Amino acid sequence: QNQMYNQQHDDDDDDEEEEEDVLVMDQIIRRRALYILRTWLDYEMKYVQQKKQAQKQHKHKQKSSRKQEESNSNNDEDRHEFMVALWKKYVLCYEALEMEVEVHLIDQIWPTVLELCNAAAANNSTATTTTTATSSTMPNMTWEWISSLLSRVLLTENPSIRKWALFRFVTGDAGIAITATPTPTPLTTDTQTTSNICDNDNTNDDDKDDNDDDDGKSQNKGRGKRSKKKQPKKKKKSKKSSAPVVLEPAPLTLVAPSFVLNVMLPCYDSLGLSVGTGLQMARKSDGQIVSENVTPPFVQFLIQYIRSLDPFSLSDFISHILSPKIILHSLRTKTIVLLFNCIDQSYNNNDDTTTTTTCANKVYISPSTLETAAQCFHTLYLGNVVFKFRQKLCKSLAFLLAHSTTIPPTTNNSN
């Protein structure tokens, strides 16, 4: 028995060492990839700057007939430069999540993540537009890149950072609107800043001309009738306000179901075994330290997310929830009960939200999925599960079957 115990203990130590080696290798691969991406972006930025400088030197040689071609090329170059700057922000955010271990340092990236999510939503809404030859070298910001960035912080080894990041995400601070689906404001390039500077310079010149006219009138006063002629006044140009563009959060439909199932649910489930769901944070209005909890906004996020899914995505989402991976292996029973409770509330209006919309789509559950779910629930009931949880799961499954259908969706409207 002692030999068997020692052998089992040695096997456990070997498994822990293998897991540590895998984590170290993953970290090395991620950092090498970040270095390659950052080097490529530096090369692209140098290329754009050199091309702009060459165009300024040969600008006087271009004929008037080529003005249209020049404006089109300038637009392509501005977009290229903007995309390089956007991807640099992505790399900086990823490096902060990879290197930093303090919450207050990681908390500074969320305004930039909002900008990245807005760009991904804008590309998602204009997916049918054609790409130019210059912009083809720079990939568009999509949800796959955003999910990789958020997965890095939501699945980090530090449980305090996981909890803080999950709270930021489900409360809308990470660039995703929770209770509304606004139209994202398209991001602007640096050309607007330069145009504002030019406008300010023109208004200063106009003001100076007006002052010169006033001085001339005062000097010519009392010199005869000719001096009393009214000179035409120059129209003052209205000063344009250089207010920054306010970016709205991206719609909730931007989030993929796989991200909720494979990242958000495991992240929330891990908090119950480590640091809990409570946290202390400063209130936005007055800066006072208040106690918060991740669970209420997380529940509201799941409810609103299920309501936002189309029939195809909803059926796929429910079929993954009814799989053995979710019910038996990945999540604790308490988290599974909370998940099914969110599904029930998405069809009701008994939650504390101000919205009156409910999930109007019936869930298509295939016979094979239903058979697998029945086996999973039977195995779960035979295990060491609290009777209260078993009762809630049984009611939730009955409610889900009452809102299910055997007719599969005919068309796929999902992106």
Side-chain angles (χ1 to χ4, degrees), residues 15-295:
D15 294 338
E16 291 179 358
E17 291 179 358
E18 290 180 359
E19 291 179 359
E20 292 180 358
D21 293 339
V22 170
L23 292 177
V24 172
M25 288 300 300
D26 290 343
Q27 187 182 56
I28 293 175
I29 293 173
R30 286 195 305 268
R31 296 188 178 186
R32 285 180 177 177
L34 285 174
Y35 174 76
I36 295 173
L37 184 57
R38 185 174 64 252
T39 305
W40 173 59
L41 292 175
D42 292 338
Y43 170 78
E44 290 288 335
M45 182 60 73
K46 289 181 181 179
Y47 168 76
V48 172
Q49 292 175 353
Q50 291 175 358
K51 195 171 183 180
K52 277 193 171 185
Q53 187 176 2
Q55 282 188 351
K56 288 181 180 179
Q57 293 177 356
H58 300 282
K59 187 176 181 181
H60 63 281
K61 297 182 181 180
Q62 295 179 350
K63 298 181 180 180
S64 60
S65 60
R66 299 180 59 187
K67 287 184 178 180
Q68 186 65 28
E69 298 178 0
E70 180 185 355
S71 61
N72 294 334
S73 62
N74 289 335
N75 292 333
D76 294 339
E77 291 168 6
D78 291 337
R79 173 168 174 75
H80 192 185
E81 184 179 8
F82 169 72
M83 292 301 297
V84 172
L86 185 69
W87 277 103
K88 275 198 169 185
K89 293 178 181 179
Y90 179 87
V91 172
L92 291 176
C93 288
Y94 209 110
E95 287 179 345
L97 298 179
E98 181 68 30
M99 308 294 182
E100 304 296 342
V101 293
E102 297 294 335
V103 175
H104 69 279
L105 296 176
I106 295 178
D107 200 43
Q108 299 176 6
I109 71 167
W110 299 120
T112 307
V113 175
L114 169 62
E115 183 178 350
L116 297 175
C117 290
N118 190 276
N123 292 328
N124 191 28
S125 61
T126 59
T128 57
T129 58
T130 58
T131 57
T132 59
T134 55
S135 62
S136 61
T137 58
M138 295 298 300
N140 289 328
M141 186 64 63
T142 59
W143 170 251
E144 285 74 14
W145 293 100
I146 302 296
S147 63
S148 176
L149 179 68
L150 295 174
S151 299
R152 185 67 200 98
V153 65
L154 291 175
L155 299 179
T156 184
E157 294 80 9
N158 192 331
S160 299
I161 295 179
R162 288 201 305 267
K163 177 173 61 176
W164 192 270
L166 183 62
F167 182 82
R168 289 295 191 188
F169 185 83
V170 297
T171 53
D173 294 336
I176 302 296
I178 305 304
T179 58
T181 56
T183 303
T185 304
L187 294 176
T188 56
T189 59
D190 295 334
T191 54
Q192 287 189 348
T193 305
T194 56
S195 63
N196 291 334
I197 295 174
C198 295
D199 293 335
N200 293 332
D201 293 339
N202 293 332
T203 52
N204 293 332
D205 294 337
D206 295 336
D207 294 339
K208 190 181 294 184
D209 294 337
D210 294 335
N211 293 332
D212 294 339
D213 294 338
D214 296 337
D215 294 338
K217 288 181 181 180
S218 62
Q219 292 176 2
N220 294 330
K221 189 176 181 181
R223 292 185 181 179
K225 294 182 179 180
R226 292 183 179 179
S227 62
K228 293 183 179 179
K229 289 183 179 180
K230 294 183 179 179
Q231 298 179 357
K233 294 183 180 180
K234 294 183 179 180
K235 294 182 179 180
K236 294 183 179 181
K237 294 183 179 180
S238 59
K239 294 183 179 181
K240 296 182 180 180
S241 60
S242 59
V245 178
V246 179
L247 299 178
E248 296 180 355
L252 190 60
T253 53
L254 183 67
V255 182
S258 59
F259 180 79
V260 178
L261 294 171
N262 300 326
V263 178
M264 295 188 64
L265 286 173
C267 175
Y268 175 81
D269 186 71
S270 65
L271 299 179
L273 300 175
S274 54
V275 294
T277 57
L279 65 146
Q280 302 287 327
M281 64 178 305
R283 188 185 299 163
K284 293 182 179 180
S285 59
D286 53 3
Q288 184 179 0
I289 303 298
V290 294
S291 299
E292 297 288 351
N293 197 292
V294 180
T295 301

